[in-house]
Amino acid sequence: MAIRASILEPNYDSFFDPAGPGRPAQIRIRLKVTLVPLDPSTAWARTGHGAKLPGTRPGPAPPSHLAANQAAIKRGSVIDASSQPVPCRSWLASEWQAFTPRFKHTVENAWNNQMVFLPVEKGDTLSDAEFKQLIGNPKAPAHVVGVLEVDLQPAGADSHAIIEVAHLANPGDTFRDRMTRITDESVLFTVNRFTAGRARGIGGETGQIAAAHEVGHWLRNPGTKVFDHVDRSYALTLPRAQQDNAQYGRTLGRYYSMMGGGSVVTNHDATPWLARLRRHTPMKLGWVYVHRLHFRWSPQDVSARQKRILLAAQFMPKIA
């Protein structure tokens, strides 16, 4: 079985790029996203109704509005994920033009430059030709880098995700985001405080870009509606009053997760890439995720198999 170059599905698309000289192999998830500049003056905005959720039938498009000037701005309350009304206004066209590329750049940067996947051959394996596609640097162990691409789509396109974007009328107002509804300030870095350990006398804080977290919820498996918070399953075992805080991380270390309250891509957060990597390649089991900061190597870490493959291809001098 050859390595599959692409997998296109309703939840997201993925692509495998073989390594080249000085360039690592990549597993790229491409999420097609339609951003909607939400009209806050509508009844839609005043309810908890969001854009189309995964798995639901197509419905009406969220009401949008771009104001050509200050006089054309509309105002109203937008309901956030906690069912709280928050004063908002419509977007100026110039603001929206600046926001959309910033959204893409900010979300991609939050996720990328963190994920490295190593082949560990136990049970199933890759052929030499397939293994060679993971070698970009002959002095580094074969590996695959995980990448997120946000592919912005126009209104009405066949997108994987539809996200409404409200514009706060009062900068700095509290607005709890959800995967279908964020604000202009969701691309800003904010500090989150760990509270699930309060009863044990454990506190702490970390930071996160809310838009990156909410986009993460769209990286779901086929047939599911959401990619869950890092400790959602654990939280469901607790009394209801404790579930909301605990799902973002039952310990401070887990709270640092991108799908918790932080910005670190942990084993949980890397699951979508690992799942697709196992489908793109013949090797279904032998993949291990490590964070880029932990990916430390020396020539001694290069496997005997990799040395043999490179020697056969005359990519490196003979090693004793």
Side-chain angles (χ1 to χ4, degrees), residues 26-29 104-115 145-150 212 258 263 265 273 291-292:
Q26 293 185 339
I27 182 73
R28 291 183 290 122
I29 284 181
K104 171 181 169 66
H105 176 78
T106 301
V107 172
E108 289 178 345
N109 277 2
W111 281 91
N112 293 339
N113 299 315
Q114 297 201 56
M115 292 174 277
V145 171
V147 174
L148 174 65
E149 294 180 349
V150 174
M258 182 73 78
S263 300
V265 178
W273 286 265
H291 193 278
R292 180 182 61 84

Side-chain angles (χ1 to χ4, degrees), residues 113-118 120 142-146 265-267 270 274 287-297:
N113 299 315
Q114 297 201 56
M115 292 174 277
V116 176
F117 301 93
L118 301 174
V120 180
H143 65 280
V144 180
V145 171
V265 178
T266 65
N267 287 335
L274 186 58
W287 292 101
V288 171
Y289 168 67
V290 296
H291 193 278
R292 180 182 61 84
L293 294 179
H294 298 153
F295 184 50
R296 298 288 186 264
W297 49 268

Side-chain angles (χ1 to χ4, degrees), residues 93-169:
S94 58
E95 293 173 330
W96 186 250
Q97 187 176 14
F99 175 82
T100 52
R102 181 176 182 180
F103 173 90
K104 171 181 169 66
H105 176 78
T106 301
V107 172
E108 289 178 345
N109 277 2
W111 281 91
N112 293 339
N113 299 315
Q114 297 201 56
M115 292 174 277
V116 176
F117 301 93
L118 301 174
V120 180
E121 301 189 44
K122 295 181 180 179
D124 57 354
T125 187
L126 301 173
S127 68
D128 284 357
E130 293 158 349
F131 193 91
K132 185 179 174 182
Q133 295 184 56
L134 313 185
I135 305 172
N137 179 351
K139 296 182 179 180
H143 65 280
V144 180
V145 171
V147 174
L148 174 65
E149 294 180 349
V150 174
D151 186 7
L152 295 180
Q153 298 288 311
D158 186 19
S159 299
H160 299 118
I162 301 175
I163 303 175
E164 304 166 2
V165 191
H167 195 296
L168 297 176

Side-chain angles (χ1 to χ4, degrees), residues 7-295:
I7 298 175
L8 310 181
E9 292 186 335
N11 53 334
Y12 51 78
D13 301 330
S14 57
F15 305 87
F16 179 86
D17 302 323
R23 184 186 72 247
Q26 293 185 339
I27 182 73
R28 291 183 290 122
I29 284 181
R30 180 177 295 168
L31 187 74
K32 294 185 290 186
V33 178
T34 295
L35 298 176
V36 179
L38 186 64
D39 184 343
S41 68
T42 62
W44 180 295
R46 294 193 298 273
T47 69
H49 186 78
K52 183 175 77 70
L53 285 167
T56 60
R57 295 179 179 179
S64 63
H65 179 251
L66 290 175
N69 50 53
Q70 292 285 342
I73 285 177
K74 298 180 181 180
R75 298 180 182 274
S77 292
V78 176
I79 297 297
D80 71 0
S82 295
S83 298
Q84 296 300 310
V86 181
C88 290
R89 65 168 175 85
S90 52
W91 290 79
L92 290 168
S94 58
E95 293 173 330
W96 186 250
Q97 187 176 14
F99 175 82
T100 52
R102 181 176 182 180
F103 173 90
K104 171 181 169 66
H105 176 78
T106 301
V107 172
E108 289 178 345
N109 277 2
W111 281 91
N112 293 339
N113 299 315
Q114 297 201 56
M115 292 174 277
V116 176
F117 301 93
L118 301 174
V120 180
E121 301 189 44
K122 295 181 180 179
D124 57 354
T125 187
L126 301 173
S127 68
D128 284 357
E130 293 158 349
F131 193 91
K132 185 179 174 182
Q133 295 184 56
L134 313 185
I135 305 172
N137 179 351
K139 296 182 179 180
H143 65 280
V144 180
V145 171
V147 174
L148 174 65
E149 294 180 349
V150 174
D151 186 7
L152 295 180
Q153 298 288 311
D158 186 19
S159 299
H160 299 118
I162 301 175
I163 303 175
E164 304 166 2
V165 191
H167 195 296
L168 297 176
N170 306 309
D173 270 0
T174 298
F175 187 103
R176 185 170 182 180
D177 295 347
R178 59 172 179 265
M179 64 190 289
T180 55
R181 183 176 286 177
I182 62 174
T183 77
D184 59 305
E185 295 191 355
S186 299
V187 294
L188 303 179
F189 187 82
T190 59
V191 173
N192 291 330
R193 289 176 174 79
F194 175 68
T195 59
R198 186 176 295 159
R200 294 170 284 141
I202 299 173
E205 61 183 33
T206 184
Q208 186 179 73
I209 296 170
H213 173 95
E214 299 305 332
V215 164
H217 281 306
W218 289 96
L219 302 179
R220 59 195 178 88
N221 285 329
T224 63
K225 294 184 176 182
V226 64
F227 181 46
D228 278 332
H229 291 132
V230 62
D231 273 332
R232 173 64 174 167
S233 296
Y234 165 76
L236 292 176
T237 68
L238 301 177
R240 183 173 294 275
Q242 301 175 29
Q243 291 180 7
D244 189 42
N245 282 347
Q247 66 181 327
Y248 291 93
R250 61 182 182 267
T251 66
L252 180 58
R254 292 179 67 81
Y255 188 71
Y256 291 149
S257 163
M258 182 73 78
M259 296 312 296
S263 300
V264 179
V265 178
T266 65
N267 287 335
H268 171 78
D269 309 305
T271 299
W273 286 265
L274 186 58
R276 281 297 173 92
L277 188 56
R278 287 169 171 163
R279 293 179 59 192
H280 277 274
T281 69
M283 193 160 66
K284 308 303 180 187
L285 301 176
W287 292 101
V288 171
Y289 168 67
V290 296
H291 193 278
R292 180 182 61 84
L293 294 179
H294 298 153
F295 184 50

